[in-house]
Amino acid sequence: MNDLQPIIEATNIKKIYGMGDIQVAALAGVDVRIDPGEFVAVMGPSGSGKSTLMNILGCLDRATEGTYLLAGEDVSGLDKAQLAEIRNRKIGFIFQSYNLLPRTTALKNVMLPLVYRRGNGLSHSEREEKAKAALAAVGLADRMQHEPHEMSGGQQQRVAIARALINDPVLILADEPTGNLDSRSGEEIMALLHDLHAKGSTILMVTHESDIAEQTERTIHMLDGVIEQVVQNGDGGEV
Amino acid sequence: MSVSEVFNIAWEGIIRNKVRSLLTMLGVIIGVAAVIIMIAISAGTEAAIAEQIQGLGSNLAFIQASFGRGRPGSGDTSAMLVYEDTEVVESVPGVIGTTVDQTTTQTVKVQGNTLTDVPVVGTTSDFPSVRDVDIAQGRFFNETEVDRKAKVAVLGSNLATELFGDSDPIGQQITVDNTKLTVIGVADDKGVVGSTDFDAQLYTPITVLFDKFIPSQFARFMGNRVRIIYAEIDEDADMEQVLTQIQLKLATSKDVPVDELSFTIQTQQDIIDTQGATTEAFRSLLAWVAAVSLIVGGIGIMNIMLVSVTERTREIGIRQSVGATPNDIRWQFLTEALMLSLVGGLIGVFVGVGGSWLFGATSDMRTVIVPTSILLAFGSAAAVGIFFGFYPANKAAQLDPIEALRHE
């Protein structure tokens, strides 16, 4: 798989806040390369810049400096609307707090990215079919008409995963996906992520639990806005 | 995103917050209903006035002495309108008939039954035709009776019932003030025209009225003063020309130049026009009130939309994270504001139409629902929604996705 171009190729990413003389560098020059099919964890204490990095890699924010190629496409200079489109087509988000629309059924939540997908030419019923399939794939075929408050945390996170996958993204960004879950639900979600990884998805996951991070191929440790070290996990890792 | 999707999302946003949506719409509902009801009232008033003026009689001209001129004893007899002038007016070709009416209130007695404050109208034999009053029973007095000051009376329908109940009033004697009059006829129902209740009046020859009820010491020298002379003009005659002729003849008979003649001659059309100008002013006042209430409604929408944007910041963040562009968000909130005002407008139309009907049915005021007012109100509501929805929608569109997602 390494002969393909990398999914993430970020070079010398800097994010500097503040104005005038007082400037704070949340990211002080970070290089990240992630190849297709990799499962990578990001760890670091709060304030280490891992959230800022995730926001930039997720195209929710723009770097002050540096270049970022997402699946070969330079997204460094894109405007808000263009970034939104990139998020829609190429990235699937899984958040710690699920971030489902309240008072909206699981089915409609999963369909949401399709609504904002430009020029996909799918009819409403085709979208519904696609969303139903995605929900079935995460084991929620019987929960489609349930609203978030009627579901357990684990179920809500699975809805979020179905939503993240609906547009066949090149990259899945998971921000503490098990952080709000009990250990059993957390294991289920991790199993789901491993499953996706096995099927070829590229996953970048922020976590503060080292045992979760160790389940991935590689862990990037952040500190004070730079990458402190990169650790290969387990046996299957390659540099 | 397709238009139907934008509407779908906006509609779901409204449905998800039913109570708040309803409260938001309240301002627009009231505004739109106010526009429709107010226009219905002013149109109803206008129609009622036009009808009343038509009800005065057909093709009438009114000759009136101008205010403040020609007081008895001022020596300026030229400016006084007197009973004898009716003959001058009547001699003008094109004038079919003339009548005068002079009213006084008197106490009427019959067989121990006493009514006070009965309007007693002194008039001439042409009154029924000029003023469109039909005689139900008996007859109206004729010219000879007027000339000879015959002591006769014709009763309005309600007055006849009040005085005589079910018994036949024709030929009965009644006492008005201290004068005995013989009832010779009863008028048909005509109702209230202007401020005059035709059915409560008693008619008697004007000569009798001058003689018995409002004697004037000046009458001997100057004739009996009247307030107004009604002239019925032949429909085929040229109204303008007839009016000019009346002025010329009156001027000649008073021996003054025409431009010093202090009478005003009005036609029904003049009065309708005057009333039209009045209701026009009334209507534009109402339009302003309605416009203000719509603007207030719009500000209400803006307020709630701003609150809604703040409350739904996280929702906006979620939408942004899955690919909603600033324009998508802008359209969502703009459409929501538009739909709120349109749905509010629609409810307002129902309330307005229902309210107008109810108002007309339960009060003395008449209401006429004007279809264009519905369009106007509905259109303004939509415009208000877009105008006041724009600021909140822009605010929502400019939210930063990271901040929005972090919002609790």
Side-chain angles (χ1 to χ4, degrees):
Chain A
M1 278 206 254
N2 268 356
D3 51 331
L4 295 172
Q5 60 180 343
I7 296 297
I8 291 177
E9 193 170 15
T11 317
N12 194 29
I13 297 292
K14 287 184 185 171
K15 183 72 185 178
I16 294 160
Y17 292 105
M19 46 197 160
D21 297 336
I22 312 148
Q23 292 193 327
V24 179
L27 289 176
V30 173
D31 297 321
V32 181
R33 181 192 158 110
I34 291 172
D35 288 318
E38 270 198 293
F39 192 174
V40 179
V42 178
M43 286 192 80
S46 56
S48 61
K50 65 179 193 300
S51 294
T52 309
L53 180 64
M54 289 300 276
N55 287 337
I56 289 169
L57 295 181
C59 294
L60 287 165
D61 200 359
R62 276 181 301 186
T64 317
E65 252 180 69
T67 56
Y68 174 24
L69 301 183
L70 177 63
E73 189 175 349
D74 188 354
V75 297
S76 320
L78 299 186
D79 65 21
K80 277 183 161 185
Q82 289 167 322
L83 286 177
E85 219 180 310
I86 294 287
R87 290 197 295 272
N88 181 257
R89 283 192 288 116
K90 296 196 166 177
I91 300 169
F93 288 97
I94 302 166
F95 300 98
Q96 178 176 3
S97 51
Y98 330 126
N99 276 341
L100 299 177
L101 290 185
R103 280 165 287 172
T104 304
T105 62
L107 190 63
K108 288 213 162 134
N109 262 298
V110 174
M111 284 168 72
L112 196 60
L114 291 173
V115 169
Y116 293 110
R117 180 83 189 241
R118 258 140 266 262
N120 62 0
L122 293 180
S123 71
H124 186 82
S125 58
E126 284 169 322
R127 289 177 199 176
E128 213 168 270
E129 284 317 305
K130 215 175 163 190
K132 278 179 181 169
L135 277 168
V138 296
L140 289 177
D142 56 341
R143 290 282 188 275
M144 297 195 191
Q145 297 305 327
H146 287 233
E147 294 181 1
H149 66 93
E150 297 166 323
M151 289 186 281
S152 71
Q155 287 171 332
Q156 289 188 54
Q157 193 61 297
R158 278 191 275 165
V159 174
I161 292 172
R163 182 180 65 187
L165 296 174
I166 194 79
N167 267 339
D168 302 316
V170 296
L171 174 67
I172 293 167
L173 282 178
D175 187 359
E176 306 254 17
T178 61
N180 279 12
L181 298 174
D182 58 69
S183 57
R184 221 189 106 214
S185 303
E187 277 164 28
E188 279 172 22
I189 293 301
M190 281 314 292
L192 209 50
L193 290 179
H194 283 301
D195 201 31
L196 290 173
H197 175 226
K199 286 174 185 159
S201 289
T202 311
I203 304 171
L204 184 62
M205 176 177 71
V206 173
T207 183
H208 65 272
E209 295 169 72
S210 49
D211 56 326
I212 298 252
E214 275 161 20
Q215 293 180 30
T216 67
E217 296 164 315
R218 195 148 63 102
T219 304
I220 299 171
H221 290 270
M222 300 273 307
L223 191 68
D224 297 335
V226 292
I227 293 174
E228 189 190 28
Q229 59 171 152
V230 179
V231 177
Q232 298 296 320
N233 300 317
D235 10 310
E238 45 204 293
V239 185
Chain B
M1 267 200 309
S2 69
V3 176
S4 71
E5 262 159 13
V6 173
F7 273 89
N8 233 334
I9 291 172
W11 181 245
E12 278 170 12
I14 290 170
I15 289 299
R16 235 182 283 139
N17 302 289
K18 285 191 196 70
V19 175
R20 188 174 60 195
S21 300
L22 199 69
L23 287 174
T24 313
M25 286 188 284
L26 209 53
V28 174
I29 294 174
I30 292 171
V32 166
V35 171
I36 293 172
I37 292 175
M38 283 178 177
I39 290 179
I41 290 173
S42 81
T45 310
E46 213 167 321
I49 289 170
E51 208 165 87
Q52 282 179 355
I53 293 165
Q54 299 290 353
L56 291 174
S58 50
N59 246 17
L60 271 189
F62 311 87
I63 303 150
Q64 267 177 293
S66 302
F67 291 114
R69 301 282 297 270
R71 281 182 299 276
S74 67
D76 182 11
T77 53
S78 74
M80 258 178 67
L81 200 57
V82 293
Y83 171 55
E84 287 70 21
D85 289 332
T86 54
E87 280 165 35
V88 179
V89 174
E90 205 148 352
S91 69
V92 174
V95 177
I96 302 172
T98 59
T99 191
V100 291
D101 62 34
Q102 199 70 8
T103 306
T104 169
T105 52
Q106 299 291 343
T107 303
V108 178
K109 283 182 216 157
V110 57
Q111 294 153 4
N113 190 356
T114 305
L115 285 179
T116 54
D117 296 328
V118 175
V120 174
V121 180
T123 185
T124 65
S125 56
D126 282 335
F127 185 87
S129 79
V130 176
R131 300 301 305 274
D132 271 349
V133 171
D134 292 330
I135 301 302
Q137 242 185 307
R139 59 178 182 85
F140 208 74
F141 39 83
N142 57 36
E143 231 179 300
T144 321
E145 283 166 320
V146 175
D147 288 347
R148 291 188 181 166
K149 305 179 184 176
K151 295 198 178 84
V152 291
V154 173
L155 306 178
S157 54
N158 289 345
L159 181 64
T161 318
E162 278 189 64
L163 287 174
F164 293 101
D166 290 336
S167 56
D168 185 7
I170 307 293
Q172 303 274 357
Q173 291 269 312
I174 56 174
T175 310
V176 179
D177 197 14
N178 288 316
T179 308
K180 282 197 184 339
L181 301 177
T182 307
V183 178
I184 58 166
V186 175
D188 212 349
D189 292 344
K190 184 173 166 87
V192 179
V193 176
S195 54
T196 309
D197 182 0
F198 277 73
D199 300 339
Q201 302 192 46
L202 183 154
Y203 305 102
T204 191
I206 184 134
T207 46
V208 174
L209 186 93
F210 285 141
D211 235 36
K212 298 293 180 189
F213 305 130
I214 45 169
S216 157
Q217 67 231 52
F218 301 106
R220 227 177 307 152
F221 321 112
M222 316 171 190
N224 284 296
R225 221 175 143 232
V226 289
R227 191 172 50 90
I228 190 164
I229 293 175
Y230 303 90
E232 188 181 4
I233 314 290
D234 189 346
E235 277 183 41
D236 299 328
D238 180 347
M239 178 70 94
E240 285 301 310
Q241 213 174 342
V242 174
L243 296 183
T244 314
Q245 282 297 316
I246 291 174
Q247 275 185 307
L248 280 173
K249 285 236 175 181
L250 280 172
T252 314
S253 86
K254 303 274 178 191
D255 202 18
V256 293
V258 174
D259 51 3
E260 278 178 29
L261 195 68
S262 57
F263 298 150
T264 57
I265 303 184
Q266 279 188 301
T267 61
Q268 279 178 332
Q269 194 53 49
D270 295 334
I271 295 179
I272 290 171
D273 291 346
T274 314
Q275 294 290 358
T278 314
T279 43
E280 189 66 32
F282 181 55
R283 186 181 278 197
S284 69
L285 177 75
L286 290 184
W288 276 108
V289 172
V292 166
S293 63
L294 264 176
I295 288 172
V296 171
I299 292 171
I301 285 191
M302 181 162 70
N303 273 335
I304 303 287
M305 289 303 292
L306 282 174
V307 172
S308 172
V309 167
T310 309
E311 257 183 31
R312 289 156 68 187
T313 297
R314 200 183 175 95
E315 176 196 326
I316 295 166
I318 294 170
R319 290 181 183 278
Q320 287 174 324
S321 74
V322 300
T325 63
N327 259 334
D328 291 336
I329 301 292
R330 183 177 295 120
W331 275 112
Q332 177 187 341
F333 281 88
L334 200 54
T335 309
E336 222 169 278
L338 178 67
M339 285 177 88
L340 279 175
S341 58
L342 284 184
V343 174
L346 204 64
I347 298 174
V349 166
F350 282 111
V351 173
V353 169
S356 301
W357 177 82
L358 202 68
F359 198 74
T362 56
S363 76
D364 295 342
M365 273 206 221
R366 198 149 113 205
T367 54
V368 174
I369 293 157
V370 185
T372 49
S373 76
I374 296 176
L375 282 178
L376 176 84
F378 200 65
S380 329
V384 156
I386 292 173
F387 185 79
F388 287 104
F390 209 81
Y391 175 61
N394 250 352
K395 221 181 144 181
Q398 278 158 11
L399 283 176
D400 178 59
I402 301 163
E403 295 290 330
L405 277 172
R406 222 178 270 155
H407 193 268
E408 285 304 325

